[in-house]
């Protein structure tokens, strides 16, 4: 079914519509000169004055650690925060596949322009051209920087850097360090950060969770954090605040994100006025290890590279109980090869994920609960021999065996899609500044350069681009007007923020109800997965909004948070995060309801072509949805997107 | 640019645990060298009393007349004593330090009764320390017996050959020596490998896979076995009587 | 399966702490060890008890946050992280003892959570290459032999979990320190600071109160990332060289 006539968007029962956003501050002129122009016109800060300027950086993932290290090195006074016991444990550590850069080392026609083009197209025309071009430009410097830091990228026998192709593009531009690229890049940034900590330019606060943003005279001037060991509620003030607190995929409870990933930092800023952009854009990764039981706490990703040699299939018969090996060839449905003959098993993530869901919905899923499809290497082993398959995928096979207790060499693997990445986040302008003056947002926490869908190996690139090469210029431009008036700890705005945090904690501890925090989180996650997951409908989203509101009310009446504030209290930490996820989840559904088109990671069942492919509506929805918080209801601001360089086309993989 | 060094005052690397281990390794290797020569000398026992005593007297005049009578011997003694003092000092210092570092709660580290040996007192840590103490006692007793004719189980004599024979005709002397030499064997089986590792010469990913480990065990067997031939030959086969 | 766990409970750093016994029923063999603790914690919460505190984050064996001593072995009976250990490694009816890492340099914060800040401070003392942002030369200007790069990578996979310290009878942090020395020391970029790095890191290692290494090798058998023992020998060699040059 296609949407034909314009009608009042049913989402508007849940929100207001505000003014459009027109100035995202990107310079005009030829796209390849915009970043140079911006850098040249940015105000500079005399090195002698930098010490007097202070910055708070929340998060020590690739985006946060690279920023804190670089700003510290430049001489600013930096305070850095993370909720883990060490900055090295930020979730970026888990990234496996690699990092893109337009080095063209393979002489295969790659260029800055091509990386720019691929990213805009991959993002399904929902990203800003200027930002994406800058990202492609600085990508080359990232690799230089990381190599100089000692990041042990894979190399060729000649000693030069190796590349592989990744994520459905035709050039080899992905730099990698076996299956641990994120780890190696993060260790590089972490070491640079530790070096600055030793030098005294960065003050590190581990096991500190940001719980509130402090706004003074319409500027972001500080944060309230909880010392997670002593429970002390601390105030930190500075001339600027940077949020690099990562993505919010954990709203689904089950995801490939680390257990502690949360939206609290960004959501609290949102409540203080920062726009939240495109919250409904979530990326669902097709090759994850399926859920094995209701105790499951997280899902594990297996590299997409497995789809290069593995063949995906399900039994043709419904609810087939036989072992895979007992199902004869002609009773198997290699559905991706059948439906998408040109790309076969290598169709993009969203398509592969949705196709798997359809098979399982049709009762053809395999494994516990029928939530899985086979990823079969039997042909590859026949064709290449077991040793070759082992050399290529050995560590992934081992990981699979370790987790499932099954041997993927003899029985096919079972895979199922899982939430993996969130393209949405706080709205920022070209300078990575949110609509709140002095609040900068980097990495997965902002709504980023990936539009409606992120290409593989581009998140690491973006995090490091922001931290090493973009923010240091644009933040300096802002700081050049500082230092701003000192904010006393008894300033009314500080006192108000601190009291709000304390009251919330007291309330959570006082409820003393009958249900655990996790049980709420699981239920919320199930609602999100069912109605705001791979496929969304008007009816489902409307229903979900009601369910989330009810669940939220129940949470605040019946949750049980044990212990006290004045000690390490992991239940209390989780309760605060889940409370914010409720509010974010609701906004995600409203955003998804508003966007009556299918684009990238957002598939509206009402908006598909006759043969079931995603259908965009560029005439109506070529904009960024930036949501303003409101006590009663949120307000939608649209930032129209214009494409001067890449022509808008619809994707086809048939 | 900003300085990258830490401002906290720390003890110098020259006094670090690793540096202590260097001194242990070097002193250990010096003593090991002595043991090899000593064992070689002991085997002359089988050539009979005259040759043996003569050999030992000859030792007094090494490098004579360039060095005075017993001069070389005294140099060796000083070096050996110094090595022993350094070695024991380092061992005791490290041992105390390591005990504090292990994070004991009361007098146990881990409360579990399962897997006592694996994590907590592996073969090497156990034998090096207690073995070392046995060794120290052995050395004191042995030198007292051999050198000044103070402690002479079985009867004193001016002939060291006789003294050796007299001693090893007694079962408990042989037993004590056996304990001592088994301790030497165990100590060296780990010690030689450990010394080379400490000095940076191990290139294998595990101790078992290291070639030096094989050499180390071989050396331990040769030394312990070589020394034991004399007491065993006397006690079991009546050699020298 | 049904199991019994005996867990170290300690309210805070000042509390004395003790082992407490709990029963856990309906444990699936597919559960990870931490999921088993989650189930136990849900039980404890509902009965009004304080749930057991333990560190964890990624739950896929890469962040290094998790880690407890299980039946006397750091990370339990398999060579993997605690989060990647599954209940199928235990028998039905098993009694499982769970304790925090024990080391003077890793004080207990609460229950199974310890403070591993000492590792960060060792890195601060030289575990980096000084490469200010923006100063880097073109990446392919300096080729690195593949073998060295691979070797450096293997050492760089250390996740900073601290199992080596918990397993070492001396509470020594030498394997962790050596892994970093080896990672950076094998790369041409790491050469200029090689001497100052090893000196700084060793000084900090000792300053933190870790024990000395007596080449026992227990650490490598607990290391989930298989950091090899020769890294320690390399550290020894590097420090010897630095001291010989009079750099300390
Ligand atoms: C399994 C997996 C594999 C991936 N593989 C790839 C890949 O191959 N290539 C690629 O390009 N991308 C990949 N990604 C995506 C990529 O890893 C992430 O998008 C990226 O690392 C995010 O980095 P970040 O710095 O923005 O945030 P994070 O690394 O998530 O860091 C967030 C930081 O914020 C801190 N923080 C959060 N909340 C608070 C708070 N309230 N108070 C204080 N501190 C807080 C945390 O402590 C942490 O330090 C993968 C993601 C996953 C899950
Ligand atoms: C006399 C009392 C002795 C004690 C208490 C003692 C103790 C120890 C201990 C605890 C170690 C292990 C420490 C480590 O590996 O770092 C050790 C190592 C060693 N010992 Fe001894 N020892 C003694 C005597 C000897 C003797 C007599 C020899 C020579 C035959 C010797 C040779 C060695 C060697 C070679 C090492 C290895 C050094 C190293 O690991 O770097 N020790 N000793
Ligand atoms: C069965 C075994 C042994 C026998 C028969 C034996 C015999 C002797 C004899 C006869 C002497 C006197 C040499 C002289 O007059 O110079 C001597 C000295 C000595 N032995 Fe042994 N020995 C044995 C084992 C050992 C071992 C295992 C050690 C050390 C670990 C050792 C250390 C010494 C030392 C230090 C001296 C004194 C050397 C000197 O200062 O002159 N011996 N031994
Ligand atoms: S060396 Fe191994 S055991 Fe030690 S911290 Fe690193 S990964 Fe953990
Ligand atoms: S177990 Fe300890 S003694 Fe050394 S070899 Fe490992 S650090
Ligand atoms: S939780 Fe990250 S390694 Fe176990």
């Amino acid at each position: 079914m296609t949407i034909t006539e314009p009608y009042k968007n049913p989402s508007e029962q849940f929100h207001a519509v505000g003014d459009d956003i027109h100035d995202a501050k990107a310079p005009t002129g030829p796209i390849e000169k915009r970043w140079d122009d911006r850098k040249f016109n940015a105000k500079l800060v005399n090195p002698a004055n930098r010490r007097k300027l202070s910055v708070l950086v929340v998060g020590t993932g690739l985006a946060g650690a690279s920023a804190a290290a670089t700003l510290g090195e430049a001489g600013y006074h930096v305070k850095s925060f993370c909720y883990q016991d060490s900055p090295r444990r930020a979730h970026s550590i888990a990234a496996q596949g690699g990092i893109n850069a337009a080095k063209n080392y393979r002489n295969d026609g790659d260029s800055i322009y091509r990386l720019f083009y691929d990213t805009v197209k991959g993002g399904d025309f929902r990203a800003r051209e200027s930002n994406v071009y800058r990202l492609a430009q600085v990508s080359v410097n990232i690799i230089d920087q990381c190599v100089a830091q000692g990041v042990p990228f894979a190399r060729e026998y000649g000693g030069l850097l190796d590349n592989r192709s990744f994520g459905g593009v035709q050039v080899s531009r992905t730099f990698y360090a076996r299956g641990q690229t994120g780890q190696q890049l993060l260790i590089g940034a972490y070491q640079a950060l530790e070096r600055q900590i030793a030098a005294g330019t960065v003050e590190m606060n581990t096991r500190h969770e940001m719980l509130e943003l402090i706004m003074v005279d319409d500027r972001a001037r500080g944060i309230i954090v909880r010392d997670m060991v002593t429970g002390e509620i601390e105030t930190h003030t500075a001339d600027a605040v940077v949020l690099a607190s990562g993505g919010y995929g954990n709203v689904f409870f089950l995801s490939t994100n680390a257990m502690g990933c949360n939206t609290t930092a960004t959501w609290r800023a949102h409540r203080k006025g920062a726009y939240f952009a495109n919250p409904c854009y979530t990326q669902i990764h097709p090759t994850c290890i399926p859920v094995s039981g209701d105790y499951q706490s997280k899902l594990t990703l297996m590299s997409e590279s497995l789809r290069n040699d593995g063949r995906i299939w399900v039994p043709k018969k419904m609810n087939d109980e036989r072992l895979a090996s007992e199902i004869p060839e002609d009773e198997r449905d290699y559905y991706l090869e059948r439906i998408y003959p040109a790309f076969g098993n290598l169709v993009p993530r969203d398509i592969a994920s949705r196709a798997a869901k359809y098979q399982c919905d049709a009762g053809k899923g395999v494994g516990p609960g029928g939530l899985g499809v086979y990823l079969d290497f039997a042909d590859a082993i026949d064709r290449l021999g077991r040793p070759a398959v082992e050399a290529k995928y050995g560590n992934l096979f081992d990981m699979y065996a370790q987790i499932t207790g099954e041997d993927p060499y003899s029985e096919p693997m079972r895979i199922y899609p899982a939430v993996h990445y969130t393209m949405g986040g706080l709205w920022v302008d070209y300078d990575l500044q949110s609509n709140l003056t002095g609040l900068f947002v980097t990495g997965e926490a902002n709504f980023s350069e990936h539009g409606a869908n992120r290409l593989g190996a581009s998140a690491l690139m973006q995090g490091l681009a922001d931290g090493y090469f973009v923010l240091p210029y644009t933040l300096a431009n802002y700081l050049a007007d500082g230092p701003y008036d000192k904010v006393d700890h008894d300033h009314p705005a500080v006192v108000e923020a601190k009291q709000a945090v304390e009251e919330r904690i007291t309330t959570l501890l006082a409820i003393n109800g009958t249900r655990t925090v996790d049980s709420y989180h699981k239920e919320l996650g199930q609602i999100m997965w069912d109605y705001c997951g791979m496929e969304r409908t008007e009816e489902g989203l409307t229903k979900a909004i009601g369910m989330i509101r009810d669940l939220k009310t129940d949470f605040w009446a019946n949750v049980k948070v044990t212990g006290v504030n004045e000690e390490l209290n992991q239940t209390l930490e989780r309760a605060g995060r889940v409370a914010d996820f409720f509010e974010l989840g609701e906004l995600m559904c409203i955003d998804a309801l508003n966007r009556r088109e299918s684009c990238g990671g957002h598939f509206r069942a009402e908006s598909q072509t006759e043969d079931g492919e995603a259908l965009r509506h560029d005439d109506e929805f070529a904009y960024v949805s930036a949501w303003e918080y409101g006590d009663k209801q949120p307000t939608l601001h649209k930032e129209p997107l214009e494409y001067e360089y890449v022509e808008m086309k619809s994707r086809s993989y048939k | 640019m900003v300085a990258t060094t830490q401002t906290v005052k720390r003890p110098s690397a020259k006094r670090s645990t690793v540096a202590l281990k260097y001194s242990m390794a070097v002193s250990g290797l010096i003593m090991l060298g002595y043991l090899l020569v000593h064992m070689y000398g002991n085997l002359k026992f089988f050539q009979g009393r005259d040759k043996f005593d003569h050999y030992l007297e000859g030792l007094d005049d090494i490098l004579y007349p360039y060095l005075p009578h017993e001069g070389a011997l005294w140099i060796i003694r000083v070096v050996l004593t110094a090595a022993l003092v350094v070695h024991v000092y380092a061992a005791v210092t490290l041992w105390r330090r390591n005990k504090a570092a292990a994070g004991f709660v009361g007098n146990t580290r881990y409360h579990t009764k399962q897997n006592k040996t694996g994590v907590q007192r592996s073969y090497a840590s156990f034998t090096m320390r207690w073995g070392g103490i046995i060794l120290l006692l052995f050395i004191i007793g042995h030198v007292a017996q051999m050198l000044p004719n103070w402690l002479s189980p079985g009867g004193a004599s001016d002939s060291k050959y006789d003294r050796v024979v007299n001693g090893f005709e007694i079962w408990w002397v042989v037993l004590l020596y056996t304990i001592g030499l088994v301790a030497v064997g165990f100590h060296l089986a780990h010690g030689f490998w450990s010394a080379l590792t400490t000095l940076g010469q191990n290139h294998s990913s595990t101790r078992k896979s290291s070639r030096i480990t094989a050499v180390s065990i071989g050396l331990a067997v040769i030394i312990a076995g070589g020394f034991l031939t004399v007491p065993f030959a006397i006690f079991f086969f009546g050699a020298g009587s | 399966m049904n199991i019994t766990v005996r867990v170290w409970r300690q309210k805070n750093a000042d509390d004395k702490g003790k082992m407490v016994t709990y029963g856990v029923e309906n444990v699936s063999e597919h559960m990870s060890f931490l999921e088993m603790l989650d189930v136990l914690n849900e039980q404890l919460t509902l009965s009004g008890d304080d749930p057991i505190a333990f560190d964890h984050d990624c739950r896929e064996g890469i962040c290094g946050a998790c880690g407890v001593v299980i039946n006397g072995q750091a990370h339990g009976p398999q060579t993997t992280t605690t989060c990647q250990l599954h209940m199928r490694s235990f028998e039905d009816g098993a009694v499982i003892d769970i304790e925090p890492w024990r080391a003077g340099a890793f004080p207990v914060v609460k229950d199974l959570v310890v403070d591993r800040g000492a590792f960060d401070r060792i890195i601060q003392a030289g575990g980096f290459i000084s490469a200010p942002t923006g100063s880097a030369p073109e990446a392919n200007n300096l080729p690195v032999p593949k073998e060295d790069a691979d070797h450096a990578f293997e050492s760089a996979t250390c996740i900073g979990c601290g199992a080596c310290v918990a397993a070492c009878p001396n509470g020594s942090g030498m394997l962790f320190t050596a892994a970093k020395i080896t990672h950076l020391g094998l790369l041409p970029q790491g050469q200029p600071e090689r001497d100052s790095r090893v000196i700084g890191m060793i000084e900090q290692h000792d300053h933190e109160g870790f024990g000395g290494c007596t080449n026992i090798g227990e650490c490598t058998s607990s290391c989930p990332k298989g950091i090899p023992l020769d890294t320690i020998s390399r550290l020894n060699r590097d420090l010897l060289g630095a001291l010989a040059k009079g750099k300390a």
Side-chain angles (χ1 to χ4, degrees), chain A residues 209-382:
Chain A
E209 183 164 28
M210 167 181 165
L211 296 177
E212 200 52 87
L213 177 72
I214 300 172
M215 294 293 297
V216 177
D217 303 332
D218 291 328
R219 281 177 199 276
R221 292 301 306 276
I223 58 175
I224 305 285
V225 298
R226 177 172 178 271
D227 178 328
M228 294 156 78
V229 177
T230 65
E232 195 184 333
I233 308 299
E234 303 172 0
T235 304
H236 296 264
T237 56
D239 293 304
V241 177
V242 178
L243 298 186
S245 54
Y248 51 84
N250 267 355
V251 66
F252 289 89
F253 185 72
L254 285 180
S255 82
T256 64
N257 282 9
M259 301 298 287
C261 289
N262 66 87
T263 187
T264 294
T266 47
W267 192 257
R268 293 283 124 195
H270 174 58
R271 289 184 58 123
K272 283 275 155 95
Y275 294 170
F276 210 112
N278 300 334
C280 79
Y281 291 161
T282 39
Q283 184 167 78
I284 299 193
H285 199 291
T287 46
C288 299
I289 300 177
V291 178
S292 68
D294 56 8
Y295 47 80
Q296 188 106 12
S297 58
K298 80 153 283 177
L299 298 172
T300 304
L301 172 84
M302 287 186 302
S303 171
E304 213 164 5
S305 61
L306 287 171
R307 286 200 280 144
N308 287 329
D309 287 304
R311 297 181 69 196
I312 294 173
W313 63 275
V314 291
K316 283 187 178 158
K317 229 170 59 189
M318 275 170 62
N319 305 322
D320 201 329
E321 298 275 299
R322 289 173 294 177
L323 281 176
S325 49
E326 292 164 1
I327 303 178
E329 202 54 37
D330 60 348
E331 288 178 43
R332 300 174 174 195
D333 179 9
Y334 295 89
Y335 58 90
L336 287 178
E337 298 169 25
R338 175 171 58 80
I339 308 174
Y340 306 97
F343 277 72
N345 293 301
L346 291 173
V347 292
R349 291 178 179 177
D350 54 331
I351 295 179
S353 297
R354 229 170 21 248
K357 174 181 157 49
Y358 292 153
Q359 298 302 325
C360 297
D361 288 353
K364 297 189 183 157
V366 296
L371 291 176
V373 298
Y374 286 126
L375 176 63
D376 200 336
F377 281 83
D379 281 0
I381 293 173
D382 275 353

Side-chain angles (χ1 to χ4, degrees), chain B:
Chain B
M1 269 321 304
V2 277
T4 55
T5 44
Q6 284 224 325
T7 43
V8 209
K9 214 161 160 47
R10 297 176 305 220
S12 153
K14 284 185 222 156
R15 314 184 66 95
S16 63
T17 48
V18 184
L20 267 178
K21 284 272 307 194
Y22 295 148
S23 61
M24 232 172 132
V26 172
S27 56
L29 289 178
I30 290 173
M31 294 190 281
L32 172 65
Y34 171 77
L35 273 192
L36 276 172
V37 176
H38 186 21
M39 186 193 79
Y40 166 79
N42 276 0
L43 292 179
K44 291 199 187 287
F45 174 86
F46 295 104
Q47 295 179 337
R49 174 193 284 132
D50 292 349
K51 288 244 169 84
F52 187 61
D53 281 344
H54 182 74
Y55 162 75
L56 289 180
E57 277 155 27
L59 295 180
D60 293 351
D61 291 327
I62 299 172
L63 291 184
Y64 188 80
Y66 303 103
L67 287 174
H69 187 65
E70 288 207 353
L73 220 46
W74 275 107
I75 292 175
I76 293 173
R77 281 171 190 161
V78 168
V79 169
L80 275 182
T81 313
L84 190 67
V85 168
V86 166
H87 193 83
V88 174
Y89 169 79
V92 172
T93 314
L94 276 175
W95 189 352
R96 285 173 48 184
R97 212 200 131 88
N98 293 349
K99 182 151 188 220
F104 278 70
V105 194
N107 36 20
T108 34
R109 190 178 184 206
Y110 294 111
H111 288 243
T112 183
K113 298 278 180 303
Q114 316 187 40
N115 187 42
K116 267 286 179 203
T117 46
V119 173
Q120 299 180 66
R121 21 127 84 164
S122 78
Y123 150 83
S125 66
F126 193 66
T127 56
M128 289 315 270
R129 289 165 189 175
W130 294 105
I133 288 177
I134 296 175
L135 259 177
L136 186 62
L137 296 175
F138 171 83
I139 291 170
I140 293 169
H142 172 64
V143 172
Q145 176 199 1
M146 287 307 166
L147 278 184
N149 228 344
W150 287 340
L151 252 184
S152 306
S157 160
D158 278 347
S159 160
K160 286 183 178 149
Y161 184 90
D162 286 347
R163 234 151 63 204
V164 167
V165 175
N166 294 348
F168 291 140
E169 277 170 344
I170 305 169
W171 68 269
W172 54 267
V173 176
V174 176
L175 184 68
L176 285 180
Y177 267 74
T178 310
I179 292 173
L181 284 163
V182 167
V184 172
F186 274 110
H187 200 78
L188 291 179
H190 179 71
F192 182 66
W193 177 84
S194 179
L196 292 191
T197 298
T198 298
L199 296 173
Q201 300 311 314
N202 169 41
H203 299 274
S204 306
S205 59
T206 59
R207 181 152 59 89
K208 289 207 179 87
S209 65
S210 169
R211 244 177 295 155
I212 317 172
T213 301
V215 175
S216 197
I217 292 172
L219 203 67
V221 170
I222 289 172
I223 288 187
F227 271 121
L228 278 176
T229 49
V230 176
F232 283 6
I234 294 170
F235 187 73
F236 293 112
F237 304 104
S241 50

Side-chain angles (χ1 to χ4, degrees), chain A residues 47 81 102 125 163 175 240 335 363 377 380 457 498 509 527 602 640 653:
Chain A
F81 302 83
F125 300 94
N163 289 125
F175 293 78
Y335 58 90
F377 281 83
K498 194 169 172 191
L509 287 166
I527 298 173
H602 167 69
Y653 294 92

Side-chain angles (χ1 to χ4, degrees), chain A residues 113-142:
Chain A
Y113 199 86
R114 188 176 297 281
L115 176 54
F116 156 69
Y117 178 88
D118 287 348
T119 308
V120 169
K121 179 169 166 247
D124 225 1
F125 300 94
R126 292 294 176 264
R128 278 190 208 132
E129 278 189 334
S130 308
N131 289 48
V132 176
Y133 196 88
R134 173 179 65 191
L135 176 63
Q137 274 177 309
V138 302
S139 70
V140 295
N141 306 10
I142 296 174

